[in-house]
Amino acid sequence: MKCSIPKGTRDFLPAEMARRNYIFDTIREVFKTFAFEPIETPSLENLSTLMGKYGEEGDKLLFKVLNSGNFMENVDFSQDYHKVAPKICERGLRYDLTVPFARFVVQHRDQLTLPFRRYQLQPVWRADRPQKGRYREFYQCDADMIGSTSLLNELELVQMIDAVFAKLDVAVTVKINNRNVLAGLADHIGAPDKLVDITVAIDKLDKIGLDNVRAELSERGLTNEQISALDPVFALSGSANEKLEQLAALFANNEMGTKGVNELKELFGYIDLVKPKCQVELDLTLARGLNYYTGAIFEVKAQGVSIGSICGGGRYDNLTGIFGMPDISGVGISFGADRIYDVLTELDKFPANLGQPARALFINFGSESLPYAISCAAKLRGENISTLIYPDNAKMKKQMDYANKCHVPFVFFVGENEIAAQTLTVKNMATGEQCTVTINEVVALLKA
RNA sequence: GUGGGCGUAGUUCAGCUGGUUAGAGCGCCAGAUUGUGGAUCUGGAGGUCGUGGGUUCGAGCCCCACCUCCCACCCCA
């Protein structure tokens, strides 16, 4: 039988796991530093929890799970599949970590103290067609704060992004926008109902150019007058604060737009104070498709790597409301671990010493010398030094080869000579140097 | 979901206009005086040519379908 795994999923070899864990550990460390607490939620959610939260496209990309048992019972299969699907699939795999988190907050509200900050590192699934940097199963690393509308939260998210990518040594650009500004814009040109169409089209500006954006806006049902009314927005120039001043003037009589501008002004004011290492910019074309965002929206791109965004997020004012707990605002970000992996690979930014399973390997000289090797190995392990005894009395070359391939830095020879003298002969595999020492000297050497 | 490309030993690839027993490098295994690796040399194993149909006297090569992976669109981490 030929074996395989489903399209868009992957196995991870030890060497890959070492690099992946380096990413997860780095992100987790930063989350903890900012006082976030971990939670986990199930892979499966009730489909009713997930449906309708990600827009039309999102619903299509949800993996739905067929009911157990006789799922055909009492179902009229002659009707449209859109109607049949919810009857035979009551559960689905989670699409992101934010919606399940909103559900979690509502469900456990009695046990949570607001404002609540949680982090969550778990896989999500999307029935998308796989591509570069796009998988059907991938990990998101989310940090969200819920129960506070303070823009200090937004600032801290930017600081966390800055900290993570500084640690990973990746140059990134953080793009920030605000849904209220986009809504204000739609309002400004007299097409408040076209908000989604406007944002989707505008979002492609740097990819397809202004003319094509105009064409797409036209296709999406905007009049030429409405489209030209957007021109002042495309013409904005200068620093973030300068753009915001120009925008404020444009929104003089626009409540929604003014709210967005004021929020952005406050946030950029905070950001100026903390002076992040990464590049932070106001990008009025940033839209983000997830339609539960209501305030700030973020997106992070690695400089010099074309792989899409590696981190994204925003504020959602009423996600918990859908589950029966209104007026709770939350804001959060999600790091895409798999894309970050691809970026680090492309940039060759992984530390060289990852994936070293053992610090020490004992050559097996056969049963006579085994008791001594076992006790020496136990001593090293007791000192938290990862140690291996070669399991078989194989040829020396084979054992040395093995040490080489596994990148074991120190190989130990404990045969009859060493046993007689109660010493160990240790070889540094990188330099080839070899010396005979006592077990205590070994511990000091390997811990160094 | 739409469009395009790829698929030959473990791996990276070769394979001429369809024509006998499908090749190479790397890797693997075994040797080169049985307590010393990364070098070299010698020998060896290993392929239902992605899967299933079809065309043909004959198919790795041509045609069709399916699958995988990759690329673009859509959308997104």
Short mmCIF file of all heavy atoms in Angstrom, two decimals, chain A residues 205-269:
data_model
loop_
_atom_site.label_atom_id
_atom_site.label_comp_id
_atom_site.label_asym_id
_atom_site.label_seq_id
_atom_site.Cartn_x
_atom_site.Cartn_y
_atom_site.Cartn_z
N LEU A 205 -4.17 47.80 -4.11
CA LEU A 205 -3.52 48.92 -4.77
C LEU A 205 -2.06 48.67 -5.14
O LEU A 205 -1.68 48.81 -6.31
CB LEU A 205 -3.62 50.18 -3.89
CG LEU A 205 -3.03 51.44 -4.50
CD1 LEU A 205 -3.75 51.82 -5.77
CD2 LEU A 205 -3.06 52.60 -3.51
N ASP A 206 -1.26 48.24 -4.18
CA ASP A 206 0.16 48.09 -4.50
C ASP A 206 0.44 46.86 -5.35
O ASP A 206 1.53 46.68 -5.86
CB ASP A 206 1.02 48.11 -3.22
CG ASP A 206 0.63 46.99 -2.27
OD1 ASP A 206 -0.46 46.41 -2.47
OD2 ASP A 206 1.40 46.71 -1.34
N LYS A 207 -0.57 46.02 -5.50
CA LYS A 207 -0.39 44.81 -6.30
C LYS A 207 -0.80 45.02 -7.76
O LYS A 207 -0.10 44.58 -8.67
CB LYS A 207 -1.22 43.68 -5.68
CG LYS A 207 -0.72 42.29 -6.01
CD LYS A 207 -1.47 41.26 -5.19
CE LYS A 207 -1.00 39.85 -5.48
NZ LYS A 207 -1.73 38.85 -4.68
N ILE A 208 -1.95 45.67 -7.96
CA ILE A 208 -2.46 45.80 -9.33
C ILE A 208 -2.45 47.23 -9.86
O ILE A 208 -2.70 47.46 -11.04
CB ILE A 208 -3.89 45.21 -9.44
CG1 ILE A 208 -4.88 45.99 -8.56
CG2 ILE A 208 -3.90 43.74 -9.07
CD1 ILE A 208 -6.32 45.53 -8.72
N GLY A 209 -2.17 48.21 -9.00
CA GLY A 209 -2.09 49.59 -9.45
C GLY A 209 -3.42 50.31 -9.41
O GLY A 209 -4.48 49.70 -9.36
N LEU A 210 -3.31 51.64 -9.46
CA LEU A 210 -4.49 52.49 -9.27
C LEU A 210 -5.55 52.27 -10.35
O LEU A 210 -6.74 52.19 -10.06
CB LEU A 210 -4.04 53.96 -9.24
CG LEU A 210 -5.10 55.00 -8.90
CD1 LEU A 210 -5.85 54.63 -7.62
CD2 LEU A 210 -4.46 56.37 -8.75
N ASP A 211 -5.10 52.17 -11.61
CA ASP A 211 -6.07 52.02 -12.70
C ASP A 211 -6.91 50.76 -12.55
O ASP A 211 -8.12 50.78 -12.77
CB ASP A 211 -5.34 52.01 -14.05
CG ASP A 211 -4.75 53.39 -14.37
OD1 ASP A 211 -5.22 54.37 -13.76
OD2 ASP A 211 -3.84 53.46 -15.21
N ASN A 212 -6.23 49.67 -12.19
CA ASN A 212 -6.96 48.42 -12.03
C ASN A 212 -7.89 48.45 -10.82
O ASN A 212 -8.95 47.82 -10.83
CB ASN A 212 -5.97 47.25 -11.90
CG ASN A 212 -5.28 46.98 -13.22
OD1 ASN A 212 -5.91 47.01 -14.27
ND2 ASN A 212 -3.99 46.73 -13.17
N VAL A 213 -7.47 49.17 -9.78
CA VAL A 213 -8.34 49.31 -8.61
C VAL A 213 -9.61 50.06 -9.02
O VAL A 213 -10.72 49.67 -8.67
CB VAL A 213 -7.62 50.07 -7.48
CG1 VAL A 213 -8.62 50.47 -6.39
CG2 VAL A 213 -6.52 49.20 -6.87
N ARG A 214 -9.41 51.11 -9.80
CA ARG A 214 -10.58 51.87 -10.28
C ARG A 214 -11.50 50.96 -11.10
O ARG A 214 -12.72 51.01 -10.96
CB ARG A 214 -10.12 53.05 -11.16
CG ARG A 214 -9.52 54.19 -10.36
CD ARG A 214 -9.63 55.50 -11.16
NE ARG A 214 -9.11 56.62 -10.41
CZ ARG A 214 -7.89 57.15 -10.60
NH1 ARG A 214 -7.10 56.66 -11.52
NH2 ARG A 214 -7.49 58.17 -9.86
N ALA A 215 -10.90 50.16 -11.95
CA ALA A 215 -11.69 49.25 -12.79
C ALA A 215 -12.48 48.28 -11.91
O ALA A 215 -13.66 48.02 -12.16
CB ALA A 215 -10.76 48.48 -13.73
N GLU A 216 -11.79 47.76 -10.88
CA GLU A 216 -12.47 46.80 -10.01
C GLU A 216 -13.61 47.47 -9.23
O GLU A 216 -14.68 46.88 -9.04
CB GLU A 216 -11.46 46.15 -9.06
CG GLU A 216 -12.12 45.11 -8.16
CD GLU A 216 -11.18 44.05 -7.64
OE1 GLU A 216 -10.07 43.91 -8.18
OE2 GLU A 216 -11.58 43.36 -6.69
N LEU A 217 -13.37 48.71 -8.79
CA LEU A 217 -14.42 49.44 -8.08
C LEU A 217 -15.64 49.62 -8.97
O LEU A 217 -16.78 49.49 -8.53
CB LEU A 217 -13.89 50.80 -7.63
CG LEU A 217 -12.92 50.78 -6.44
CD1 LEU A 217 -12.24 52.12 -6.26
CD2 LEU A 217 -13.66 50.38 -5.16
N SER A 218 -15.35 49.90 -10.24
CA SER A 218 -16.43 50.07 -11.20
C SER A 218 -17.20 48.77 -11.37
O SER A 218 -18.43 48.74 -11.35
CB SER A 218 -15.83 50.53 -12.53
OG SER A 218 -16.86 50.64 -13.48
N GLU A 219 -16.44 47.67 -11.50
CA GLU A 219 -17.07 46.35 -11.62
C GLU A 219 -17.93 46.03 -10.42
O GLU A 219 -18.95 45.34 -10.52
CB GLU A 219 -15.98 45.27 -11.71
CG GLU A 219 -15.58 44.89 -13.11
CD GLU A 219 -14.38 43.96 -13.10
OE1 GLU A 219 -14.47 42.94 -12.39
OE2 GLU A 219 -13.37 44.27 -13.76
N ARG A 220 -17.47 46.53 -9.25
CA ARG A 220 -18.20 46.22 -8.03
C ARG A 220 -19.37 47.18 -7.80
O ARG A 220 -19.93 47.24 -6.71
CB ARG A 220 -17.24 46.26 -6.84
CG ARG A 220 -16.33 45.04 -6.80
CD ARG A 220 -15.27 45.13 -5.72
NE ARG A 220 -14.42 43.96 -5.71
CZ ARG A 220 -14.65 42.86 -4.98
NH1 ARG A 220 -15.72 42.79 -4.23
NH2 ARG A 220 -13.81 41.85 -5.03
N GLY A 221 -19.67 47.97 -8.82
CA GLY A 221 -20.91 48.74 -8.79
C GLY A 221 -20.81 50.17 -8.31
O GLY A 221 -21.82 50.79 -7.99
N LEU A 222 -19.58 50.73 -8.25
CA LEU A 222 -19.47 52.13 -7.86
C LEU A 222 -19.53 53.02 -9.10
O LEU A 222 -19.04 52.65 -10.16
CB LEU A 222 -18.15 52.39 -7.10
CG LEU A 222 -18.25 52.17 -5.59
CD1 LEU A 222 -18.13 50.70 -5.26
CD2 LEU A 222 -17.21 52.98 -4.86
N THR A 223 -20.12 54.20 -8.93
CA THR A 223 -20.22 55.13 -10.05
C THR A 223 -18.88 55.84 -10.23
O THR A 223 -18.05 55.85 -9.33
CB THR A 223 -21.29 56.20 -9.79
OG1 THR A 223 -20.86 56.99 -8.68
CG2 THR A 223 -22.63 55.57 -9.46
N ASN A 224 -18.70 56.42 -11.40
CA ASN A 224 -17.46 57.14 -11.67
C ASN A 224 -17.25 58.30 -10.71
O ASN A 224 -16.12 58.58 -10.30
CB ASN A 224 -17.46 57.65 -13.11
CG ASN A 224 -17.25 56.51 -14.10
OD1 ASN A 224 -16.68 55.48 -13.74
ND2 ASN A 224 -17.73 56.69 -15.31
N GLU A 225 -18.37 58.96 -10.34
CA GLU A 225 -18.26 60.07 -9.38
C GLU A 225 -17.75 59.56 -8.04
O GLU A 225 -16.89 60.17 -7.41
CB GLU A 225 -19.63 60.75 -9.16
CG GLU A 225 -20.18 61.48 -10.39
CD GLU A 225 -20.65 60.52 -11.49
OE1 GLU A 225 -21.32 59.52 -11.14
OE2 GLU A 225 -20.32 60.76 -12.66
N GLN A 226 -18.30 58.44 -7.62
CA GLN A 226 -17.88 57.88 -6.33
C GLN A 226 -16.40 57.49 -6.37
O GLN A 226 -15.67 57.69 -5.41
CB GLN A 226 -18.74 56.66 -6.00
CG GLN A 226 -20.18 57.03 -5.67
CD GLN A 226 -21.08 55.82 -5.50
OE1 GLN A 226 -20.92 54.81 -6.17
NE2 GLN A 226 -22.04 55.94 -4.59
N ILE A 227 -15.98 56.93 -7.50
CA ILE A 227 -14.60 56.50 -7.63
C ILE A 227 -13.66 57.70 -7.62
O ILE A 227 -12.63 57.69 -6.93
CB ILE A 227 -14.39 55.65 -8.91
CG1 ILE A 227 -15.19 54.34 -8.78
CG2 ILE A 227 -12.92 55.35 -9.13
CD1 ILE A 227 -15.25 53.53 -10.05
N SER A 228 -14.04 58.75 -8.34
CA SER A 228 -13.14 59.92 -8.33
C SER A 228 -13.15 60.62 -6.98
O SER A 228 -12.19 61.31 -6.63
CB SER A 228 -13.48 60.91 -9.45
OG SER A 228 -14.68 60.59 -10.07
N ALA A 229 -14.22 60.42 -6.23
CA ALA A 229 -14.26 61.02 -4.89
C ALA A 229 -13.21 60.42 -3.97
O ALA A 229 -12.86 60.99 -2.93
CB ALA A 229 -15.65 60.84 -4.29
N LEU A 230 -12.69 59.27 -4.36
CA LEU A 230 -11.64 58.63 -3.56
C LEU A 230 -10.25 59.19 -3.87
O LEU A 230 -9.31 58.95 -3.12
CB LEU A 230 -11.64 57.11 -3.83
CG LEU A 230 -12.76 56.28 -3.19
CD1 LEU A 230 -12.74 54.87 -3.74
CD2 LEU A 230 -12.63 56.27 -1.68
N ASP A 231 -10.15 59.93 -4.96
CA ASP A 231 -8.84 60.43 -5.39
C ASP A 231 -8.05 61.15 -4.29
O ASP A 231 -6.85 60.91 -4.16
CB ASP A 231 -9.01 61.35 -6.61
CG ASP A 231 -9.26 60.55 -7.87
OD1 ASP A 231 -9.08 59.31 -7.81
OD2 ASP A 231 -9.63 61.13 -8.91
N PRO A 232 -8.69 62.03 -3.52
CA PRO A 232 -7.92 62.71 -2.48
C PRO A 232 -7.24 61.74 -1.52
O PRO A 232 -6.18 62.04 -0.98
CB PRO A 232 -8.98 63.55 -1.75
CG PRO A 232 -10.10 63.69 -2.70
CD PRO A 232 -10.09 62.47 -3.56
N VAL A 233 -7.87 60.60 -1.33
CA VAL A 233 -7.30 59.62 -0.41
C VAL A 233 -6.03 59.00 -1.00
O VAL A 233 -5.01 58.84 -0.32
CB VAL A 233 -8.33 58.51 -0.11
CG1 VAL A 233 -7.74 57.49 0.86
CG2 VAL A 233 -9.59 59.13 0.46
N PHE A 234 -6.09 58.68 -2.26
CA PHE A 234 -4.90 58.11 -2.92
C PHE A 234 -3.79 59.15 -3.00
O PHE A 234 -2.61 58.80 -3.10
CB PHE A 234 -5.24 57.63 -4.34
CG PHE A 234 -6.21 56.48 -4.36
CD1 PHE A 234 -7.38 56.55 -5.10
CD2 PHE A 234 -5.94 55.33 -3.63
CE1 PHE A 234 -8.28 55.49 -5.11
CE2 PHE A 234 -6.83 54.26 -3.64
CZ PHE A 234 -8.00 54.35 -4.38
N ALA A 235 -4.18 60.43 -2.96
CA ALA A 235 -3.20 61.50 -3.13
C ALA A 235 -2.54 61.90 -1.82
O ALA A 235 -1.62 62.72 -1.81
CB ALA A 235 -3.88 62.72 -3.76
N LEU A 236 -2.98 61.32 -0.71
CA LEU A 236 -2.39 61.67 0.59
C LEU A 236 -0.90 61.39 0.59
O LEU A 236 -0.43 60.41 0.02
CB LEU A 236 -3.04 60.88 1.72
CG LEU A 236 -4.51 61.16 2.02
CD1 LEU A 236 -4.98 60.28 3.15
CD2 LEU A 236 -4.71 62.63 2.36
N SER A 237 -0.15 62.30 1.23
CA SER A 237 1.29 62.08 1.25
C SER A 237 1.87 62.54 2.58
O SER A 237 1.21 63.20 3.38
CB SER A 237 1.94 62.87 0.11
OG SER A 237 1.71 64.25 0.32
N GLY A 238 3.13 62.18 2.79
CA GLY A 238 3.83 62.61 3.99
C GLY A 238 3.88 61.53 5.05
O GLY A 238 3.60 60.36 4.78
N SER A 239 4.20 61.93 6.26
CA SER A 239 4.30 60.99 7.38
C SER A 239 2.90 60.56 7.80
O SER A 239 1.90 61.09 7.32
CB SER A 239 4.99 61.66 8.55
OG SER A 239 4.14 62.67 9.07
N ALA A 240 2.85 59.60 8.69
CA ALA A 240 1.56 59.11 9.18
C ALA A 240 0.76 60.28 9.75
O ALA A 240 -0.43 60.44 9.43
CB ALA A 240 1.78 58.04 10.24
N ASN A 241 1.40 61.09 10.55
CA ASN A 241 0.68 62.19 11.19
C ASN A 241 0.22 63.24 10.17
O ASN A 241 -0.88 63.80 10.30
CB ASN A 241 1.56 62.83 12.27
CG ASN A 241 1.66 61.93 13.49
OD1 ASN A 241 0.68 61.28 13.86
ND2 ASN A 241 2.84 61.85 14.07
N GLU A 242 1.04 63.48 9.17
CA GLU A 242 0.65 64.43 8.13
C GLU A 242 -0.55 63.91 7.35
O GLU A 242 -1.50 64.65 7.07
CB GLU A 242 1.83 64.70 7.19
CG GLU A 242 2.90 65.59 7.81
CD GLU A 242 4.24 65.52 7.09
OE1 GLU A 242 4.37 64.74 6.12
OE2 GLU A 242 5.16 66.24 7.51
N LYS A 243 -0.50 62.62 7.02
CA LYS A 243 -1.64 62.03 6.31
C LYS A 243 -2.91 62.14 7.15
O LYS A 243 -3.99 62.43 6.64
CB LYS A 243 -1.37 60.55 6.02
CG LYS A 243 -0.44 60.29 4.85
CD LYS A 243 -0.30 58.80 4.63
CE LYS A 243 0.73 58.48 3.56
NZ LYS A 243 0.99 57.03 3.48
N LEU A 244 -2.76 61.90 8.43
CA LEU A 244 -3.93 61.93 9.30
C LEU A 244 -4.53 63.32 9.39
O LEU A 244 -5.75 63.48 9.48
CB LEU A 244 -3.55 61.39 10.69
CG LEU A 244 -3.32 59.88 10.74
CD1 LEU A 244 -2.73 59.45 12.08
CD2 LEU A 244 -4.63 59.13 10.48
N GLU A 245 -3.65 64.35 9.36
CA GLU A 245 -4.15 65.73 9.38
C GLU A 245 -4.98 66.00 8.13
O GLU A 245 -6.06 66.58 8.19
CB GLU A 245 -2.99 66.72 9.45
CG GLU A 245 -2.28 66.77 10.82
CD GLU A 245 -3.23 67.10 11.97
OE1 GLU A 245 -4.26 67.76 11.72
OE2 GLU A 245 -2.94 66.69 13.11
N GLN A 246 -4.45 65.56 6.98
CA GLN A 246 -5.17 65.77 5.72
C GLN A 246 -6.50 65.04 5.72
O GLN A 246 -7.52 65.54 5.26
CB GLN A 246 -4.32 65.28 4.54
CG GLN A 246 -3.00 66.04 4.37
CD GLN A 246 -2.03 65.31 3.43
OE1 GLN A 246 -2.40 64.93 2.34
NE2 GLN A 246 -0.81 65.13 3.88
N LEU A 247 -6.46 63.85 6.27
CA LEU A 247 -7.67 63.03 6.33
C LEU A 247 -8.70 63.65 7.27
O LEU A 247 -9.89 63.63 6.99
CB LEU A 247 -7.28 61.63 6.81
CG LEU A 247 -8.12 60.46 6.34
CD1 LEU A 247 -8.26 60.46 4.83
CD2 LEU A 247 -7.48 59.16 6.80
N ALA A 248 -8.22 64.19 8.37
CA ALA A 248 -9.11 64.82 9.35
C ALA A 248 -9.90 65.94 8.69
O ALA A 248 -11.10 66.09 8.93
CB ALA A 248 -8.31 65.34 10.54
N ALA A 249 -9.20 66.70 7.83
CA ALA A 249 -9.88 67.80 7.13
C ALA A 249 -10.96 67.25 6.20
O ALA A 249 -12.07 67.78 6.14
CB ALA A 249 -8.86 68.60 6.33
N LEU A 250 -10.61 66.17 5.52
CA LEU A 250 -11.55 65.54 4.59
C LEU A 250 -12.80 65.04 5.31
O LEU A 250 -13.89 65.06 4.78
CB LEU A 250 -10.83 64.36 3.91
CG LEU A 250 -11.45 63.78 2.65
CD1 LEU A 250 -11.35 64.76 1.50
CD2 LEU A 250 -10.75 62.47 2.29
N PHE A 251 -12.59 64.60 6.56
CA PHE A 251 -13.68 64.00 7.33
C PHE A 251 -14.36 65.00 8.27
O PHE A 251 -15.00 64.61 9.23
CB PHE A 251 -13.14 62.84 8.17
CG PHE A 251 -12.87 61.59 7.39
CD1 PHE A 251 -11.89 60.70 7.80
CD2 PHE A 251 -13.62 61.29 6.25
CE1 PHE A 251 -11.64 59.54 7.09
CE2 PHE A 251 -13.37 60.13 5.54
CZ PHE A 251 -12.38 59.25 5.96
N ALA A 252 -14.20 66.29 7.98
CA ALA A 252 -14.70 67.33 8.88
C ALA A 252 -16.13 67.07 9.35
O ALA A 252 -16.46 67.26 10.52
CB ALA A 252 -14.59 68.68 8.20
N ASN A 253 -16.97 66.60 8.44
CA ASN A 253 -18.38 66.38 8.82
C ASN A 253 -18.73 64.89 8.84
O ASN A 253 -19.88 64.52 8.60
CB ASN A 253 -19.29 67.10 7.83
CG ASN A 253 -19.03 68.58 7.83
OD1 ASN A 253 -18.96 69.20 8.89
ND2 ASN A 253 -18.84 69.14 6.65
N ASN A 254 -17.74 64.10 9.10
CA ASN A 254 -17.95 62.65 9.01
C ASN A 254 -17.57 62.01 10.35
O ASN A 254 -16.40 61.85 10.67
CB ASN A 254 -17.08 62.11 7.87
CG ASN A 254 -17.32 60.64 7.62
OD1 ASN A 254 -17.47 59.86 8.56
ND2 ASN A 254 -17.36 60.25 6.35
N GLU A 255 -18.59 61.64 11.09
CA GLU A 255 -18.38 61.17 12.46
C GLU A 255 -17.51 59.90 12.52
O GLU A 255 -16.52 59.83 13.24
CB GLU A 255 -19.74 60.88 13.11
CG GLU A 255 -19.67 60.74 14.61
CD GLU A 255 -21.05 60.35 15.18
OE1 GLU A 255 -22.07 60.74 14.57
OE2 GLU A 255 -21.07 59.65 16.20
N MET A 256 -17.88 58.93 11.68
CA MET A 256 -17.17 57.65 11.67
C MET A 256 -15.71 57.84 11.27
O MET A 256 -14.80 57.33 11.93
CB MET A 256 -17.86 56.71 10.66
CG MET A 256 -17.39 55.29 10.71
SD MET A 256 -18.13 54.41 12.08
CE MET A 256 -19.59 53.75 11.28
N GLY A 257 -15.52 58.58 10.21
CA GLY A 257 -14.17 58.82 9.73
C GLY A 257 -13.33 59.55 10.76
O GLY A 257 -12.17 59.21 11.00
N THR A 258 -13.91 60.54 11.40
CA THR A 258 -13.19 61.31 12.41
C THR A 258 -12.77 60.42 13.58
O THR A 258 -11.67 60.53 14.11
CB THR A 258 -14.07 62.47 12.91
OG1 THR A 258 -14.41 63.29 11.80
CG2 THR A 258 -13.34 63.29 13.94
N LYS A 259 -13.69 59.51 13.95
CA LYS A 259 -13.38 58.59 15.05
C LYS A 259 -12.15 57.76 14.70
O LYS A 259 -11.21 57.61 15.50
CB LYS A 259 -14.58 57.66 15.29
CG LYS A 259 -14.41 56.66 16.40
CD LYS A 259 -15.75 55.95 16.70
CE LYS A 259 -15.72 55.12 17.96
NZ LYS A 259 -15.21 53.79 17.81
N GLY A 260 -12.14 57.24 13.48
CA GLY A 260 -11.01 56.44 13.04
C GLY A 260 -9.72 57.24 13.02
O GLY A 260 -8.67 56.78 13.49
N VAL A 261 -9.80 58.44 12.52
CA VAL A 261 -8.60 59.29 12.44
C VAL A 261 -8.07 59.59 13.84
O VAL A 261 -6.87 59.51 14.10
CB VAL A 261 -8.91 60.60 11.68
CG1 VAL A 261 -7.77 61.59 11.84
CG2 VAL A 261 -9.14 60.30 10.20
N ASN A 262 -8.99 59.89 14.75
CA ASN A 262 -8.56 60.20 16.11
C ASN A 262 -7.90 58.99 16.78
O ASN A 262 -6.91 59.14 17.50
CB ASN A 262 -9.75 60.69 16.94
CG ASN A 262 -10.15 62.10 16.56
OD1 ASN A 262 -9.35 62.84 15.98
ND2 ASN A 262 -11.39 62.46 16.84
N GLU A 263 -8.45 57.82 16.53
CA GLU A 263 -7.85 56.61 17.11
C GLU A 263 -6.44 56.40 16.55
O GLU A 263 -5.51 56.08 17.30
CB GLU A 263 -8.72 55.39 16.78
CG GLU A 263 -9.99 55.31 17.62
CD GLU A 263 -10.85 54.09 17.29
OE1 GLU A 263 -10.36 53.19 16.56
OE2 GLU A 263 -11.99 54.05 17.75
N LEU A 264 -6.32 56.60 15.26
CA LEU A 264 -5.00 56.41 14.64
C LEU A 264 -4.01 57.45 15.16
O LEU A 264 -2.84 57.14 15.41
CB LEU A 264 -5.12 56.50 13.12
CG LEU A 264 -5.72 55.26 12.45
CD1 LEU A 264 -6.03 55.53 10.99
CD2 LEU A 264 -4.78 54.06 12.57
N LYS A 265 -4.48 58.68 15.33
CA LYS A 265 -3.60 59.73 15.86
C LYS A 265 -3.09 59.34 17.24
O LYS A 265 -1.90 59.47 17.52
CB LYS A 265 -4.38 61.05 15.98
CG LYS A 265 -4.44 61.86 14.70
CD LYS A 265 -5.09 63.20 14.99
CE LYS A 265 -5.30 64.02 13.73
NZ LYS A 265 -6.19 65.18 13.99
N GLU A 266 -4.01 58.86 18.07
CA GLU A 266 -3.61 58.49 19.43
C GLU A 266 -2.61 57.33 19.39
O GLU A 266 -1.57 57.37 20.05
CB GLU A 266 -4.85 58.09 20.24
CG GLU A 266 -4.52 57.80 21.70
CD GLU A 266 -5.76 57.42 22.52
OE1 GLU A 266 -6.90 57.68 22.06
OE2 GLU A 266 -5.58 56.85 23.61
N LEU A 267 -2.91 56.33 18.57
CA LEU A 267 -2.04 55.17 18.49
C LEU A 267 -0.65 55.55 17.98
O LEU A 267 0.38 55.15 18.55
CB LEU A 267 -2.67 54.10 17.59
CG LEU A 267 -1.83 52.85 17.32
CD1 LEU A 267 -1.38 52.19 18.63
CD2 LEU A 267 -2.62 51.84 16.49
N PHE A 268 -0.61 56.34 16.91
CA PHE A 268 0.70 56.71 16.38
C PHE A 268 1.46 57.61 17.36
O PHE A 268 2.69 57.60 17.40
CB PHE A 268 0.57 57.37 15.00
CG PHE A 268 0.54 56.36 13.88
CD1 PHE A 268 -0.66 55.86 13.40
CD2 PHE A 268 1.73 55.86 13.37
CE1 PHE A 268 -0.68 54.90 12.40
CE2 PHE A 268 1.72 54.91 12.36
CZ PHE A 268 0.51 54.42 11.88
N GLY A 269 0.70 58.35 18.18
CA GLY A 269 1.34 59.14 19.23
C GLY A 269 2.07 58.23 20.22
O GLY A 269 3.23 58.46 20.57
#
